[in-house]
Amino acid sequence: MYVYTVAAIALAAGAVAIGCVMPAQTGVAQERNLTETLPKWSQTHYNRFGSWESICETKTDGDPVKSVALAEQDGQRCYVRYIDKLNPWGMDNGSSDTPSIAAFISPDANGLKVEFGIQSELKIERGGFYLSREDKAVWVLDPDDCAPSGLCTFTGPAALALVRAFSDQSGESLEMHVAFTDHNGERLVRTWPMFPFANAYSDFESNLRRLSM
């Protein structure tokens, strides 16, 4: 098993900006300053399942950034991600400044790592970030369990339990709900269809097995 912090690298490189209501992560605040020192990655595998993406990359240049504890197996990494960019015009303009909500699933020394992030302009409602099965909440993210800034991270048994919940196909509906207030003070609710996650995660597992051969 190899260890790296996919979300931290993506944040630092400006792929998606994530901030408040999550545990602090070294280097997030200086994401633009770190860009030149980050390793460069080339995509070797990409599958999309709904809005969930299963991705593998290989390092092509640069040295690991010690502050984000990057260590990869033979310069390769795989992960699952969901990036919900909140462009007010419904278009992705490619800017890292676009407010975003995101989730990442990646390998970890304890098995798996599940990370969630909310950009600093967005304020999560208490009880507003939750997984629902058939309109009943089965898991709720408590902002008090997370430090004021950075990423909200789950590892080991907690991460495995989340992945199992996200992969549940037994009900008629499975959705992630995120209720928050944006930088204009407007209350918004985003809904992520979760049924595609199971296929994205299965693809991710297949890629990990391939890398370990």
Side-chain angles (χ1 to χ4, degrees):
M1 184 60 66
Y2 52 99
V3 183
Y4 56 85
T5 307
V6 173
I9 292 297
L11 293 174
V16 54
I18 297 175
C20 118
V21 301
M22 309 295 174
Q25 177 71 46
T26 302
V28 173
Q30 297 92 7
E31 59 188 50
R32 289 181 177 82
N33 294 335
L34 284 175
T35 301
E36 295 303 318
T37 62
L38 289 169
K40 297 179 181 178
W41 296 87
S42 176
Q43 198 170 94
T44 58
H45 174 87
Y46 180 88
N47 261 340
R48 190 178 185 94
F49 303 87
S51 293
W52 290 93
E53 301 168 288
S54 173
I55 298 169
C56 289
E57 298 167 328
T58 185
K59 191 171 68 174
T60 59
D61 191 17
D63 297 321
V65 177
K66 301 297 189 297
S67 63
V68 293
L70 175 69
E72 69 285 342
Q73 179 179 349
D74 299 325
Q76 300 182 82
R77 66 184 189 186
C78 295
Y79 55 95
V80 176
R81 75 181 183 188
Y82 188 113
I83 298 179
D84 190 355
K85 290 192 174 183
L86 311 178
N87 188 297
W89 296 278
M91 298 173 60
D92 182 1
N93 60 12
S95 171
S96 64
D97 295 328
T98 302
S100 304
I101 304 170
F104 291 86
I105 294 86
S106 61
D108 180 75
N110 295 318
L112 285 174
K113 178 181 291 184
V114 177
E115 296 171 297
F116 297 98
I118 304 292
Q119 191 171 351
S120 57
E121 287 92 337
L122 312 176
K123 307 301 180 183
I124 289 290
E125 289 184 9
R126 180 168 298 280
F129 198 137
Y130 66 94
L131 179 70
S132 72
R133 184 186 302 115
E134 297 178 345
D135 299 322
K136 294 182 180 179
V138 295
W139 172 80
V140 180
L141 177 66
D142 185 352
D144 288 344
D145 292 338
C146 305
S149 63
L151 295 171
C152 187
T153 302
F154 299 85
T155 60
L160 183 58
L162 280 177
V163 166
R164 286 173 175 167
F166 294 172
S167 302
D168 187 1
Q169 306 280 300
S170 63
E172 293 184 1
S173 66
L174 188 68
E175 298 175 324
M176 186 73 79
H177 297 265
V178 188
F180 60 94
T181 302
D182 69 10
H183 65 290
N184 293 317
E186 183 179 358
R187 182 183 184 273
L188 300 171
V189 178
R190 306 290 286 193
T191 303
W192 302 351
M194 295 299 292
F195 278 152
F197 175 84
N199 286 332
Y201 185 74
S202 177
D203 188 74
F204 162 76
E205 286 189 306
S206 296
N207 291 325
L208 290 185
R209 288 193 294 269
R210 175 176 53 81
L211 289 182
S212 66
M213 294 175 61

